[in-house]
Amino acid sequence: MDALDWIVPLPKKAVLGPSHVDLTRCRIQGAPAATTALTALRTALTPAPGTGSVVVEVRIDAGAELPPEGYTLTAGEAGVVIVGADPGGAFYGAQTLLALMAAPCDEHRACVPESDVRDWPDLPLRGTIEGFYGTPWTHADRMEHLRFSARHKLNTYVYAPKDDPFHRERWREPYPAEELARLRELVAEAAAQHVRFVFALSPGLSMVYSDPAERAALRAKAEQVWEVGVREFALLFDDIPPELRHEPDREAFGTEEGASARAHAAVCRDFAGRFLAPRGADRPLTMVPTDYAGTGRTPYRDLLSEELPQDVLVWWTGSDIVVGEITAYDITAAAASYGHRVTLWDNFPVNDFDPSRVFLGPLAGRATDLDSVPLEGITANPMVEAAASRLALTTVADYAWHLAAYDPARSHQRAVRLLPGAAELLPLVEACSSWPPGDDQSPALTALCAAALEGTAQPLRAELTRLASLPTDVPGPFAAELAPWVSAAKDVAAAGLAALDLLAETQPCPDGGRTAVERALERAEAHKANVLRGVIPPFVRAVLDRRATTSPPRDGGPLR
């Protein structure tokens, strides 16, 4: 197996040789500015100073003619050298070295192939936004997510859980000491993993935008998290009424269509000018407009374009809130409508609109030819299920780093290989891989169901048998989160197999056969978890309907 298959995202340029560099004994050294890279290597490797040790050296060279976060990695007889354009690049070079070490080798306990890698990201901002409705991730989920992000070169995590009351409903109130301590730990872990921790506030449900006291309260809340290390902020005005509801705001900003954009721009100006600028924040503010989907000009966007500071980034979800395709034209048109560069808030693989489903497939339908397109980057909005989300998010990382090489199917295969538990549950992963949510849950199985009704049942039986045989003892958080869907998949497969048995009867079937299928279908549909609910139950009902009104085929052909 090619060792490159163990690296996600796929490097820009990489040549691997046939021989290996044994890293069982190694001496790790490097520049002080490369501390995070050196720490990552020393944590994963076993340093053994002295003669006979292979030297692993990490350097930072701003003149190496590499883009930001770029790196080179060479491994050979002389040892291993990682050169980063900056500390982030050095860190990502270390991550690539560790990924290469994960490739199986029969000869050495710890080794990498001869390597010559030159690599850098395409999108400057690559990450996730915990921005869904529903139970927020746990602190442990978030800590592990930051480590996952580092492994796959995702450089941004946005803290914006809709159901954190101190983020949205109670935005004026300071965090209690215990919550603040957890935020401090997250910020520290993010820094260690070269992940930008962006703290978002969503005041639009109740804020009186024109009130100086309200703006001061917003700054005070930001000051609290600044004290624990937050250095990047976002203001969210999504999912709120489009019109101004408070009389002082209507007097200050007007009552015409889109006037709320003036209010939102004013709050952003105040926050950037009176909070970020005095503290020397080196990252621009990001905001979510109320009008956050679609590509055309609107009164709201026209006003926002005029009054929002030019350096503020605008989050945008695509031509709709949840989409199957985003083109370069869509991005360019949206940026023009806002008069600002945009960042894609990609509502993938989020499931808060239908918690009965999980979306385990790859990112697809996203433009890869983005030269000169005013896109800052992508933040994917994951599912409530943090561990299960990592399968799709791995492909997001692959996409954002190396656009031209991104292949959804290949990326998904590598993600399945890398995520513990995913390969063991592959039939479930395949059954829950369709996107967007309104599409057929499984075009392949839908076609096999149609073929079975026409007399070719074996391919469907083979696939349903795989699903019915899913193991229930797979260790790890991925399998634990998906246990309800495993159970649902096994029962829906059993119903489909029972229907196939009924379909195969060559003699008139007693009522007991039909009753068994009906009971299997009832068990399948009793689950809250939705696995192929739009595919297999309709097939089972079609079999029941046909058997109720027709005789069994005499020649093995289709029922008529």
Side-chain angles (χ1 to χ4, degrees):
M1 183 182 296
D2 192 335
L4 287 176
D5 286 334
W6 295 85
I7 307 175
V8 177
L10 187 68
K12 288 286 196 309
K13 300 177 181 179
V15 177
L16 305 184
S19 62
H20 289 77
V21 179
D22 186 356
L23 296 178
T24 305
R25 292 175 53 84
C26 60
R27 186 165 73 255
I28 300 167
Q29 61 189 39
T35 297
T36 52
L38 295 170
T39 299
L41 293 172
R42 287 169 179 150
T43 300
L45 298 172
T46 305
T51 58
S53 300
V54 173
V55 174
V56 178
E57 183 176 4
V58 183
R59 305 174 191 157
I60 294 175
D61 184 357
E65 298 184 352
L66 286 164
E69 299 181 291
Y71 67 92
T72 62
L73 185 159
T74 56
E77 290 183 3
V80 177
V81 177
I82 296 168
V83 179
D86 47 35
F91 182 79
Y92 292 141
Q95 294 301 319
T96 294
L97 181 69
L98 297 178
L100 285 169
M101 285 179 56
C105 178
D106 296 332
E107 299 178 41
H108 308 99
R109 182 173 61 83
C111 70
V112 292
E114 273 186 302
S115 308
D116 186 0
V117 180
R118 186 177 183 86
D119 197 16
W120 65 91
D122 284 331
L123 295 181
L125 189 153
R126 311 170 305 281
T128 53
I129 178 163
E130 187 185 338
F132 51 78
Y133 292 89
T135 304
W137 285 353
T138 67
H139 184 64
D141 287 336
R142 292 174 183 138
M143 293 289 282
E144 179 54 36
H145 177 75
L146 294 172
R147 293 185 280 267
F148 160 84
S149 296
R151 290 195 297 273
H152 298 293
K153 305 181 176 74
L154 292 168
N155 68 357
T156 303
Y157 164 75
V158 184
Y159 180 90
K162 290 289 195 295
D163 288 352
D164 170 1
F166 299 100
H167 159 75
R168 191 169 170 85
E169 284 85 358
R170 297 162 60 185
W171 63 269
R172 299 174 186 83
E173 301 177 33
Y175 277 99
E178 186 176 355
E179 290 290 326
L180 193 64
R182 283 194 281 266
L183 282 173
R184 185 191 297 273
E185 190 175 359
L186 285 174
V187 171
E189 184 66 20
Q193 302 298 340
H194 268 277
V195 176
R196 293 160 52 182
F197 185 97
V198 183
F199 181 79
L201 280 167
S202 186
L205 288 175
S206 60
M207 186 177 189
V208 182
Y209 304 114
S210 57
D211 185 348
E214 292 278 74
R215 297 184 188 185
L218 191 67
R219 297 193 300 271
K221 182 65 168 281
E223 177 65 31
Q224 188 195 28
V225 297
W226 180 277
E227 290 297 321
V228 300
V230 173
R231 292 296 180 267
E232 194 166 352
F233 292 83
L235 297 178
L236 280 51
F237 302 98
D238 56 324
D239 300 346
I240 59 175
E243 72 282 351
L244 295 170
R245 292 171 296 156
H246 302 287
E247 186 58 33
D249 288 342
R250 290 193 290 268
E251 292 175 0
F253 303 113
T255 58
E256 72 268 36
E257 184 180 0
S260 61
R262 288 198 184 101
H264 301 158
V267 171
C268 290
R269 278 198 311 272
D270 180 89
F271 189 86
R274 300 186 65 182
F275 182 82
L276 295 179
R279 289 163 179 77
D282 58 0
R283 298 284 191 182
L285 178 67
T286 307
M287 67 90 70
V288 176
T290 304
D291 181 1
Y292 58 76
T295 58
R297 289 178 56 183
T298 65
Y300 178 99
R301 295 186 189 195
D302 287 346
L303 290 172
L304 194 72
S305 175
E306 293 172 6
E307 303 201 17
L308 188 69
Q310 197 56 47
D311 64 342
V312 175
L313 295 172
V314 175
W315 256 313
W316 165 79
T317 63
S319 58
D320 207 338
I321 299 171
V322 178
V323 296
E325 182 180 29
I326 296 174
T327 67
Y329 173 83
D330 292 336
I331 300 167
T332 302
S337 74
Y338 292 116
H340 287 70
R341 284 180 66 82
V342 296
T343 297
L344 177 61
W345 174 317
D346 202 329
N347 278 317
F348 168 85
V350 67
N351 64 343
D352 58 1
F353 52 83
D354 185 359
S356 71
R357 295 183 66 183
V358 286
F359 300 101
L360 306 177
L363 182 71
R366 303 301 184 260
T368 56
D369 184 5
L370 296 180
D371 290 345
S372 302
V373 173
L375 179 70
E376 184 71 13
I378 178 174
T379 49
N381 190 13
M383 298 185 287
V384 173
E385 292 76 21
S389 293
R390 292 174 200 143
L391 191 56
L393 294 178
T394 301
T395 71
V396 173
D398 209 11
Y399 165 80
W401 185 273
H402 193 177
L403 296 167
Y406 182 67
D407 178 282
R410 184 184 178 202
S411 185
H412 195 234
Q413 290 173 354
R414 286 156 55 211
V416 167
R417 182 181 301 118
L418 292 173
L419 186 60
E424 293 88 337
L425 298 180
L426 184 59
L428 176 67
V429 169
E430 293 171 346
C432 298
S433 284
S434 68
W435 188 267
D439 278 7
D440 187 330
Q441 284 182 277
S442 175
L445 283 175
T446 295
L448 293 183
C449 288
L453 291 171
E454 292 299 318
T456 305
Q458 186 53 38
L460 178 61
R461 184 178 293 278
E463 290 303 310
L464 291 178
T465 300
R466 289 178 66 227
L467 208 57
S469 303
L470 281 167
T472 58
D473 57 352
V474 177
F478 180 81
E481 286 183 350
L482 293 177
W485 286 270
V486 169
S487 180
K490 292 170 76 70
D491 279 349
V492 81
L497 290 169
L500 286 174
D501 290 341
L502 183 62
L503 191 62
E505 291 289 342
T506 58
Q507 298 297 324
C509 182
D511 286 347
R514 180 183 176 87
T515 299
V517 175
E518 290 172 339
R519 288 177 177 170
L521 180 60
E522 184 178 356
R523 286 193 297 272
E525 294 190 316
H527 291 272
K528 291 182 179 179
N530 176 352
V531 179
L532 301 173
R533 192 174 292 162
V535 178
I536 303 304
F539 164 73
V540 175
R541 288 193 177 87
V543 172
L544 289 170
D545 290 346
R546 290 195 182 190
R547 293 298 300 202
T549 58
T550 62
S551 300
R554 296 179 180 277
D555 57 358
L559 289 170
R560 301 296 181 193

